[in-house]
């Protein structure tokens, strides 16, 4: 296990380095006058040139990337025009728009996105895996047909439709919950949960449909294996066969899907964050792309990539826990 974890950490570092190179090249080589956009439409050519020099946009790309790596490891000093600001490691640079440190900006937005994704993940695993197991167990019966129809409808329904319906019905007509407004967990845990309940449901219902279909297919495949037939031949109860043996063997693809979904959802739940007014990473990333705030874009993409890599590394370990047939290589 120690050697496996060491290899995974090394692989994660190499993967993140490759992501940083690709993202940096893609965004900083894209056409468009970044200095003009940052300065504003009314800036004179001299002012635009001054902004370009201040942001080091005229330096070679490799030199800028080297400075970026140095900032990640050792921190860096930045000139904001009137003062010099020190950015401690890991430094992702300064925002072109606000001169705010990208690391601080991400840390301010990250709790919102993690609150949304963690809560939704618990719900989509419970609903999705439970529905998939029940559908496979009741194969060929009315229960399976109903659950299959519900999951297909869930996959086909956009998240903003579910979110709007929930807000209109739950908050508007029934008035069971207040309209969502993010409250930090450290300020009031109860209000934090109540205000995130609808965003959790909106995101979880969409993801649960995909998990239900995958779990059903994986369960049907596992139930057809020889060792399951052997358990049944020895008189092991059906609930034990489903819960203790078949489900463990069917969890590997579910774990893989959950790892990918969790990592991407940290920055990908843009519609959910926008719909409910949650100031998370996804919403901030969209804004940064619109105003061509390249340090913010690169920093947030790297953070999202970090969560994807870590989630997949954790998933590899969980494979062995869920299915003893898996060998850590």
């Amino acid at each position: 296990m120690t050697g496996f974890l060491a290899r995974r950490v090394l692989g994660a570092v190499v993967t993140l380095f490759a992501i940083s190179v690709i993202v940096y090249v893609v965004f900083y080589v894209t056409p468009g006058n970044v200095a003009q956009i940052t300065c504003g439409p009314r800036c004179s050519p001299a002012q635009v040139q001054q902004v370009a020099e201040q942001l080091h946009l005229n330096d070679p790309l490799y030199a800028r990337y080297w400075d970026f790596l140095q900032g990640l490891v050792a921190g860096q000093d930045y000139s904001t025009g009137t003062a010099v600001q020190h950015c401690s490691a890991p430094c992702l640079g300064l925002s072109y728009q606000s001169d705010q440190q990208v690391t601080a900006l991400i840390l301010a937005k990250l709790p919102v996105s993690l609150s949304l994704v963690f809560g939704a993940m618990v719900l989509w695993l419970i609903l999705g895996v439970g529905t998939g197991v029940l559908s496979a167990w009741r194969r060929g019966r009315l229960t399976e047909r109903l659950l299959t129809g519900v999951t297909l409808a869930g996959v086909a329904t956009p998240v903003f439709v579910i979110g709007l319906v929930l807000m209109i019905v739950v908050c508007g007509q029934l008035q069971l919950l207040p309209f969502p407004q993010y409250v930090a967990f450290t300020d009031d845990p109860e209000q934090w949960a109540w205000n995130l309940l609808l965003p959790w449901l909106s995101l979880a219902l969409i993801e649960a449909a995909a998990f239900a279909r995958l779990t059903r297919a994986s369960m049907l495949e596992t139930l057809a294996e020889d060792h399951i037939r052997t358990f049944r031949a020895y008189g092991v109860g059906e609930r034990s066969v489903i819960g203790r043996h078949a489900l463990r063997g069917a969890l590997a693809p579910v774990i893989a899907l959950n790892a990918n979904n969790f990592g991407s959802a940290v920055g990908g739940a843009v519609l959910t964050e926008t719909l409910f007014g949650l100031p998370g990473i996804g919403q901030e990333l969209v804004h940064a792309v619109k105003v061509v705030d390249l340090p913010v874009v690169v920093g947030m993409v790297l953070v999202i990539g970090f969560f994807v890599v870590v989630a997949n590394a954790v998933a590899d370990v969980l494979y062995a826990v869920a299915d003893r047939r898996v060998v850590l290589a």
Side-chain angles (χ1 to χ4, degrees), residues 48-291:
V48 172
Q49 181 63 26
Q50 183 181 0
V51 170
E53 292 177 359
Q54 180 182 334
L55 299 178
H56 302 284
L57 295 175
N58 296 327
D59 295 347
L61 183 61
Y62 69 85
R64 284 183 281 165
Y65 181 70
W66 178 250
D67 291 339
F68 175 74
L69 290 182
Q70 285 184 319
L72 285 176
V73 177
Q76 200 166 14
D77 292 330
Y78 289 91
S79 173
T80 59
T82 58
V84 176
Q85 182 178 157
H86 178 72
C87 181
S88 302
C91 177
L92 295 170
L94 298 184
S95 168
Y96 287 168
Q97 299 294 321
S98 63
D99 287 334
Q100 186 178 358
Q101 295 185 16
V102 175
T103 305
L105 181 63
I106 292 175
L107 291 177
K109 304 290 183 180
L110 191 58
V112 181
S113 295
L114 290 181
S115 297
L116 172 63
V117 176
F118 268 116
M121 182 185 68
V122 173
L123 290 179
W124 79 49
L125 285 176
I126 294 174
L127 295 175
V129 174
T131 301
V133 170
L134 182 59
S135 181
W137 186 20
R138 311 295 290 182
R139 182 182 183 184
R141 303 183 184 181
L142 179 61
T143 303
E144 186 213 8
R145 297 189 183 95
L146 291 175
L147 293 177
T148 301
V150 170
T151 54
L152 288 175
V155 171
T157 305
V159 64
F160 64 86
V161 173
I162 293 180
L164 284 174
V165 171
L166 287 176
M167 279 199 296
I168 292 173
V169 175
V170 177
C171 299
Q173 295 181 351
L174 300 180
Q175 297 184 355
L176 297 177
L177 293 172
F179 285 94
Q181 183 178 1
Y182 182 75
V183 177
F185 178 82
T186 53
D187 293 340
D188 191 334
E190 183 178 356
Q191 289 300 316
W192 170 82
W194 278 113
N195 280 275
L196 284 175
L197 184 57
L198 286 187
W200 285 342
L201 286 173
S202 300
L203 185 58
L205 289 176
I206 297 296
E207 299 292 346
F211 277 88
R213 296 184 66 190
L214 180 62
T215 303
R216 176 185 177 277
S218 185
M219 281 289 296
L220 291 177
E221 182 179 350
T222 305
L223 288 172
E225 294 181 358
D226 293 338
H227 71 284
I228 298 297
R229 288 196 292 267
T230 302
F231 284 128
R232 285 172 169 166
Y234 276 100
V236 178
E238 188 66 15
R239 292 181 183 273
S240 180
V241 169
I242 296 291
R244 294 185 57 186
H245 304 289
L247 180 58
R248 291 189 65 176
L251 280 181
V254 175
I255 293 173
L257 178 62
N258 188 62
N260 290 327
N261 283 14
F262 174 81
S264 58
V266 171
V270 179
L271 289 176
T272 307
E273 291 180 359
T274 303
L275 179 63
F276 293 100
L278 301 177
I281 281 184
Q283 195 172 13
E284 184 64 28
L285 179 58
V286 172
H287 173 72
V289 171
K290 288 181 179 179
V291 299

Side-chain angles (χ1 to χ4, degrees), residues 274-324:
T274 303
L275 179 63
F276 293 100
L278 301 177
I281 281 184
Q283 195 172 13
E284 184 64 28
L285 179 58
V286 172
H287 173 72
V289 171
K290 288 181 179 179
V291 299
V292 199
D293 199 345
L294 297 182
V296 176
V297 174
V298 172
M300 288 195 169
V301 171
L302 284 179
V303 169
I304 295 169
F306 169 79
F307 278 103
V308 172
V309 171
V310 171
N312 280 276
V314 173
D316 287 344
V317 177
L318 292 179
Y319 288 160
V321 177
D323 191 348
R324 295 176 182 175

